[in-house]
Amino acid sequence: MKDISLPSTAGAVNKLIDSLGKLPGIGPKSAQRLAFYLMRAPEEQVLALSDTIRSIKNQISQCRICFNVADSELCPICQNTKRETNKICVVEQPQDILALEHVGVYRGYYHVLHGAISPTEGITSQNIRISELMSRLDNGQVDEIILATNPTTEGEATAMYLSRLITPLGIKVTRLARGLPFGTELEYADDVTLSRAMEGRQNF
Ligand code: ZN
């Protein structure tokens, strides 16, 4: 990584700039701006932020059922008994749930794989939460699996793999409709596109 530290300022400030610069989407200039902002901000605000960041590591875990982020045994979606129990939407990452929930057209439950099958990166079906998904199908309540993995090579390969595994069980397998451009990631898709993709989902 490029050294973005400033020789003209204190070591602790440089350390902060360096840490902030490692965050996604934060370039050297933004890292500097944030660092100087935090130095000027009220102490309570900065300490509250640092506590919040710390709590992500201490208090946040994964939902026992769907592997979404949770601060108790179950995530808020799995705790909600009013959702449709016959549908599971399979996504790669917890932030994909945020994107789909923001659109608000889907009322079933989710399953987070925490990755996608990628032979080039050595990620196999064993390395992501596929066996956990399969055991959720044992109770016979689920009649549709919506494959909402990203429209990327890895996402498509994962969707294909899951479809071959699940279709023989007599469960309908659908895939988000085309319209999401190939190579994009779900979390960056706009609401209209995502909403159309969910509503127009097709048999896989
Ligand atoms: Zn959950």
Side-chain angles (χ1 to χ4, degrees):
M1 174 169 284
K2 192 160 61 100
D3 185 15
I4 59 170
S5 61
L6 304 168
S8 56
T9 192
V13 178
N14 269 326
K15 209 170 152 190
L16 179 58
I17 293 174
D18 192 49
S19 299
L20 292 167
K22 291 192 173 94
L23 300 174
I26 306 288
K29 281 274 176 225
S30 301
Q32 289 164 19
R33 201 174 305 132
L34 286 170
F36 284 99
Y37 168 82
L38 289 169
M39 267 192 294
R40 284 192 307 268
E43 190 172 353
E44 319 84 75
Q45 189 191 338
V46 178
L47 292 182
L49 174 64
S50 103
D51 284 349
T52 308
I53 293 174
R54 206 173 263 272
S55 74
I56 291 179
K57 286 298 171 197
N58 297 340
Q59 293 166 21
I60 304 287
S61 57
Q62 287 180 1
C63 173
R64 181 171 57 80
I65 297 178
C66 76
F67 302 96
N68 185 13
V69 285
D71 45 22
S72 60
E73 212 187 341
L74 298 181
C75 76
I77 293 173
C78 289
Q79 280 177 37
N80 182 349
T81 53
K82 296 201 173 77
R83 299 185 71 112
E84 296 168 15
T85 51
N86 61 332
K87 292 185 182 69
I88 295 177
C89 176
V90 180
V91 296
E92 292 182 25
Q93 300 295 346
Q95 55 267 43
D96 301 330
I97 296 183
L98 293 184
L100 288 162
E101 284 298 291
H102 190 251
V103 171
V105 295
Y106 176 69
R107 298 294 302 155
Y109 291 92
Y110 291 94
H111 190 88
V112 185
L113 295 172
H114 287 277
I117 295 171
S118 171
T120 53
E121 287 174 53
I123 301 170
T124 69
S125 58
Q126 313 279 310
N127 302 126
I128 57 177
R129 303 262 183 207
I130 289 181
S131 60
E132 291 87 347
L133 171 65
M134 297 313 287
S135 42
R136 287 181 71 184
L137 307 181
D138 286 345
N139 65 11
Q141 282 187 358
V142 177
D143 60 22
E144 182 180 359
I145 290 286
I146 300 148
L147 300 173
T149 50
N150 290 324
T152 56
T153 309
E154 295 78 15
E156 293 294 347
T158 309
M160 187 66 79
Y161 182 86
L162 288 173
S163 165
R164 285 195 188 130
L165 218 53
I166 297 166
T167 307
L169 305 176
I171 296 170
K172 182 161 118 179
V173 177
T174 57
R175 178 91 173 109
L176 289 192
R178 310 285 149 190
L180 289 168
F182 188 81
T184 50
E185 293 186 3
L186 227 62
E187 62 171 308
Y188 302 115
D190 68 88
D191 285 1
V192 176
T193 308
L194 206 49
S195 157
R196 279 194 195 135
M198 177 57 85
E199 288 177 321
R201 62 184 186 268
Q202 289 147 357
N203 284 339
F204 191 68

